[in-house]
Amino acid sequence: QVHLVESGGGLVQAGESLRLSCVASGSIFSINTMGWYRQAPGKQRELVATATDGGSTNYKDSVKGRFTISRDNAKNTVYLQMNSLKPEDTAVYICNAVVLSVNMVYSPYWGQGTQVTVSS
């Protein structure tokens, strides 16, 4: 089993910054992709940013230039640096990881989420 634990959410004003962290633990051989999704009330979950173990990254258009995803592969950790936050960034941010287990099986895992609220 694999567990993802997020931290770093909170309440900030528009224009401020937050840094989210997500640590994966458990029966991990390696992690292919780690990323962040978000879900606002009444809306579908959407991809924010992903990063592969090879260093490739992908971003939602509306966060490009403001958010930066990074990984520490030795620590099985992914970060999301969020700058110039806007009220429309308000959502629960959820960590995702595609994990290769010690049994050599790829599976996706999700964290519980961390609330980010941006006031205007």
Side-chain angles (χ1 to χ4, degrees):
Q1 189 59 274
V2 174
H3 299 281
L4 304 181
V5 178
E6 303 103 331
S7 61
L11 171 63
V12 296
Q13 293 188 333
E16 294 184 340
S17 300
L18 281 174
R19 188 191 193 211
L20 307 183
S21 301
C22 172
V23 181
S25 62
S27 301
I28 298 170
F29 181 80
S30 66
I31 302 178
N32 183 355
T33 302
M34 298 189 81
W36 293 93
Y37 290 71
R38 68 187 183 188
Q39 188 164 18
K43 295 187 177 181
Q44 289 189 332
R45 185 174 296 186
E46 60 181 11
L47 183 148
V48 177
T50 60
T52 70
D53 54 355
S56 298
T57 58
N58 182 48
Y59 293 92
K60 176 180 174 62
D61 283 347
S62 64
V63 308
K64 288 180 180 178
R66 300 188 298 123
F67 292 9
T68 303
I69 190 170
S70 60
R71 287 177 59 166
D72 185 334
N73 293 328
K75 296 181 179 179
N76 290 334
T77 300
V78 64
Y79 305 96
L80 185 68
Q81 178 66 43
M82 304 186 294
N83 298 329
S84 302
L85 282 161
K86 302 176 181 181
E88 51 263 43
D89 295 318
T90 295
V92 175
Y93 283 69
I94 306 159
C95 179
N96 170 267
V98 179
V99 175
L100 180 62
S101 71
V102 295
N103 297 321
M104 298 296 127
V105 174
Y106 277 107
S107 299
Y109 292 92
W110 296 90
Q112 293 296 311
T114 184
Q115 177 70 44
V116 172
T117 304
V118 185
S119 64
S120 58

